[in-house]
């Protein structure tokens, strides 16, 4: 199965993006750039309290403000807008009602309580200041360890406690492995809460046309088709009369893989008012009320023998849900649970995953979604084991990798890794960074008093989501390929790119397949009115799943075109070649017929073979049989300044294996961006709530998104182990960088400080924290 | 609030309008002049998505009131290409894959134009420092640095 499509001319080429001319000239349209006549503007009043009863809401003064059209509260819409959806299906999961506007009680700071609609966005904001709310404060639950204690205050009384669900796993004979191991290493690892911060905040514009009975919603979303379905349920509007458009979307990273209260409320208001209603999220709202990521506390133990063989892993994983669930909230830590052995053969695993409710914003999918956490756990533990055994962290990794001939390789959590050659990829990275010399250089520099560290992360990922059995709401993707009468090609896809560049990479695939010029192919996405069905862009699925759907649809059209051409040329369809906009019998290019001529013939329909219908269009729904499993090896060299705690990343090598590569330029861009986000977690970022549930890091002043000076230049390379999961042999690349870089950087910094006896540092590794760790270690050493 | 009439010239075209004194310049550019190429990422003068050139200086236009720009000459991303020819910085971003979602890009390009005007041959570190006021969440900045280097070279030859 693992072959590339057609004679490869564009696949694999670093083609410049076709999206870019509009973006670099300011000619593209994000939601806020769309203007409809008579648009009204919506603003939300949000809770200032993390947990409180709403005793009274007085909206009268706001309603009287000139320019205000309406003000609504949770009570006004409780019968009209249903619970914000969660698609998770987990045994025993307690699912709270999640009103779009709070009813009776608020449960996190930033929860929407009331909505104002006005003729102007400034007036809408003014009106918010005129709404009076009386709250009665309730005890706040912010700390996960405390939240699961029996005496903790509870967030939903009907549940009795704050435990959303528990999920056990017991594979192999874990107790025996631990009893017989030479060493047991135990550690508490914290994966701090992050805030995705797409540079474009969320935004929604909804228009209801009373005459036509249609609702059109433009939303900055990754999943327009799911949004259409859920909106129909949320505001009880027939799905076949809803069109959702994701126009230009300014980044998402999982934060727009969701269905939000604001989308439902804006759609509801547009229907009620009969005028377009727009809401554009403020950055402050983006901090408090768009999903957060990570936030796990993990108690981990591994059993390891003197030769470095890891024989067992035991862990209790606490995952912070926040107060309510968003679309996938409880599922995200399940990915951590499933991927916890990473790139290693660990035969005995025992886990307990506990989802915990707290008075915070919901967590959900943030780039990597559960897998950076898993990678962090196992990569930190492997390094701790190497440190304990006095082994080179390189050697312990080789010791525990599965061999290339063991793939497909099943790990004890039930996931089957599709293909891999971890040794080859790791060796390549070690070669690039010249690892053998590096350790000598490190000792020499250490002797000169330098704190130099080498960090390794060899990761295995799960992506290409995925078989529908493993993806809430379905894991297939749909695509339609249509040859227009003039021979131009329209590709419609259900994936919804927002920076990834599939208008280019998908066109490369199709140009090769149909033998036409890339400029004759348009790739259309993000519009349920044009591409009827789809799932969306997330989980590194666009190319492995969406690209495959497109490729198969394209092949179906091509087959039909071949039959028609064979009829016109009196040839055998199997002998035809599609190349350079022409179709001809293999070996006879002189007798070619133009691609466009056949397209016209298919539509004119006067000389069709008897079994062929007019038109050239095919739709394919691709259901993947399995996940894909990218993997790779990242190595970083850092130097820590002991006087300031500052970390200088001197080299960063990334060798990733994502199967075949469609466009190396775009792939490298994805890896760079991913590494920057993972490194942000390692060094800079962290969402901090105080004991009252107030978000202390609620602005770009307080939450450190990495700047240009804070990210190193990366040396990228690749190995190619094709995936057997799809005909192009691709694995997906959207998340690899994020998954690898967090652990890589932390391992490097810990290695740098290991001469001081440092074993771990909690993220983010801010200068202040690193300096403190150094000072404490020095005291420990001198005592 | 009493409104005030202001005049600005944006990309060579005059815009006269009566605005509230509290209106931010970025809202004037986007909503009054209708030039939506400059974006809003924070409205608190951190992200740089709204960067435009005001009287020759790269400015975060969310940090200025429209009335402060009365009489000003403003250049935004829409005015950068001349007669359909891309500016070398735009070209650099395209050639070097200096953008993904594109949301930060107009501000990034305008900031880069000032950087290159002041320092036509910057080092990598000077580029990184020069763009420190503009956040990009997608690219990891490496291709942005390449793009600016590409433009610097092209503008010198
Ligand atoms: S919108 Fe002006 S700096 Fe962010
Ligand atoms: S390209 Fe998306 S924020 Fe820079």
């Amino acid at each position: 199965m693992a072959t590339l499509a057609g004679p490869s001319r564009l696949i694999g080429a670093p083609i410049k993006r076709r999206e870019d001319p509009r973006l670099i000239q300011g000619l593209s349209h994000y939601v806020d750039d769309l203007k409809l006549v008579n648009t009204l503007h919506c603003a939300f009043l949000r809770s200032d309290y993390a947990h409180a009863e709403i005793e009274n809401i007085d909206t009268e003064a706001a309603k009287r403000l000139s320019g205000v059209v309406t003000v609504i509260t949770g009570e006004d819409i409780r019968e009209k807008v249903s619970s914000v959806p969660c698609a998770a299906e987990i045994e025993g999961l307690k699912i709270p009602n999640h009103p779009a506007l709070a009813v009776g009680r608020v449960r996190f700071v930033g929860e929407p309580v009331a909505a104002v609609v006005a003729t102007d966005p400034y007036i809408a904001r003014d009106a918010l200041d005129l709404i009076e709310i009386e709250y009665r404060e309730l005890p706040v639950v912010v700390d996960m360890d405390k939240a699961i204690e029996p005496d903790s205050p509870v967030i939903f009384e009907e549940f009795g406690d704050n435990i959303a669900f528990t999920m056990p796993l017991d594979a192999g004979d874990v107790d025996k492995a631990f009893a017989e191991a030479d060493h047991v290493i135990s550690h508490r690892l914290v994966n701090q809460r992050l805030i995705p911060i797409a540079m474009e905040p969320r935004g929604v514009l909804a228009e209801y046309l009373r005459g036509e009975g249609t609702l059109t919603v433009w939303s900055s979303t990754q999943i327009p088709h799911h949004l259409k379905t859920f909106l129909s349920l949320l505001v009880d509007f027939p799905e076949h009369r809803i069109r959702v458009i994701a126009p230009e979307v300014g980044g998402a990273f999982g934060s727009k893989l969701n269905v939000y209260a604001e989308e439902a409320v804006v759609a509801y208001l547009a229907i009620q008012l009969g005028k377009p209603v727009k809401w554009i999220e403020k950055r402050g709202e983006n901090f408090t009320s768009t999903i957060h990521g990570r936030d796990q506390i993990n108690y981990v133990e591994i059993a390891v023998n003197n030769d470095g063989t890891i024989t067992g892993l035991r862990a209790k994983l606490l995952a912070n849900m926040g107060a309510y669930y968003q679309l996938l909230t409880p599922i995200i830590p399940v990915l951590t649970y499933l991927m916890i052995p990473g790139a290693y053969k660990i035969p005995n695993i025992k886990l307990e995953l506990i989802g915990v409710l707290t008075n915070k914003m919901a967590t959900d999918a943030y780039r990597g979604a559960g897998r950076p956490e898993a990678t962090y756990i196992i990569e930190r533990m492997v390094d701790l084991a190497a440190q304990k055994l006095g082994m080179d962290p390189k050697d312990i990794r080789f010791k525990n990798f599965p061999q290339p001939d063991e793939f497909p390789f099943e790990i004890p959590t039930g996931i089957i890794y599709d293909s891999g050659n971890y040794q080859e990829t790791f060796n390549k990275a070690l070669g690039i960074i010249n690892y053998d010399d590096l350790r000598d250089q490190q000792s020499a520099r250490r002797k000169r008093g330098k704190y130099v560290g080498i960090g390794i992360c060899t990761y295995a990922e799960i992506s290409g989501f995925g078989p529908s059995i493993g993806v809430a709401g379905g894991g297939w993707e749909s695509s339609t390929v249509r040859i227009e009468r003039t021979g131009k090609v329209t590709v419609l896809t259900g994936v919804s790119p927002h920076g990834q560049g599939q208008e280019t990479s998908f066109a490369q695939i199709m140009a090769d397949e149909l033998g036409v010029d890339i400029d004759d192919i348009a790739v259309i996405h993000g519009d349920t009115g044009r591409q009827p069905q789809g799932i969306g862009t997330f989980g590194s699925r666009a190319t492995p799943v969406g690209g495959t759907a497109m490729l198969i649809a394209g092949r179906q059209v091509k087959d039909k075109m071949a039959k028609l051409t064979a009829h016109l040329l009196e040839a055998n369809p199997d002998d035809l070649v599609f190349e350079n906009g022409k179709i001809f019998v293999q070996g006879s290019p002189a007798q070619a017929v133009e691609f466009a001529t056949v397209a016209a013939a298919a539509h004119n329909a006067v000389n069709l073979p008897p079994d062929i219908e007019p038109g050239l269009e095919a739709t394919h729904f691709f259901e993947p049989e399995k996940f894909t499993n990218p993997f790779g090896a990242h190595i970083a060299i850092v130097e820590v300044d002991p006087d300031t705690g500052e970390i200088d990343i001197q080299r960063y090598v990334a060798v990733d294996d994502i199967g075949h590569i469609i466009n190396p330029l775009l792939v490298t861009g994805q890896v760079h961006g991913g590494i920057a986000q993972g490194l942000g977690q390692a060094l800079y970022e962290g969402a901090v709530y105080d004991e009252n549930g107030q978000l202390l890091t609620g602005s770009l002043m307080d939450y450190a998104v990495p700047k240009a000076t804070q990210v190193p230049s990366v040396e990228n390379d690749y190995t190619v182990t094709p995936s057997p999961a799809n005909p192009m042999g691709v694995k997906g690349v959207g998340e690899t960088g994020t998954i690898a870089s967090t652990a890589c950087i932390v391992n490097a910094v810990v290695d740098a400080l290991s001469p001081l006896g440092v074993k771990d540092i909690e993220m983010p590794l801010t200068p202040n924290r690193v300096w403190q760790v150094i000072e404490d270690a020095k005291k420990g050493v001198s005592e | 609030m009493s409104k005030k009439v202001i005049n600005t010239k944006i990309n060579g075209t005059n815009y006269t309008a009566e605005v509230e004194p509290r209106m931010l310049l970025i809202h004037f550019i986007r909503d009054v002049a209708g030039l939506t190429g400059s974006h809003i990422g924070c409205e608190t003068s951190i992200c740089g998505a709204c960067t435009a050139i005001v009287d020759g200086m790269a400015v975060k236009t969310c940090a200025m009131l429209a009335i402060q720009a009365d009489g000003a000459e403003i250049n935004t991303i829409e005015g950068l290409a001349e007669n359909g020819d891309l500016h070398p910085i735009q070209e650099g971003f395209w050639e070097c894959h200096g953008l993904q979602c594109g949301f930060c890009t107009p501000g990034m390009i305008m900031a880069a134009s000032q950087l290159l005007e002041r320092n036509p041959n910057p080092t990598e570190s000077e580029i990184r420092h020069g763009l420190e006021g503009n956040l990009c969440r997608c690219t990891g900045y490496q291709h942005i640095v390449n793009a600016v280097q590409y433009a610097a070279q092209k503008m010198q030859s």
Side-chain angles (χ1 to χ4, degrees), chain A residues 17 23 30 197-200 249-253 498-499, chain B residues 93 98-105 108 135-141 144:
Chain A
R17 292 204 318 174
L23 296 165
Y30 302 85
I197 314 287
M199 291 320 300
E200 182 211 19
V249 173
F253 317 110
H498 39 280
Chain B
F93 272 73
L99 61 150
Q100 290 178 26
C101 78
F103 198 75
C104 71
T105 312
M108 200 64 88
L135 296 177
C136 174
R137 193 59 152 165
C138 296
T139 62
Y141 303 102
I144 293 179

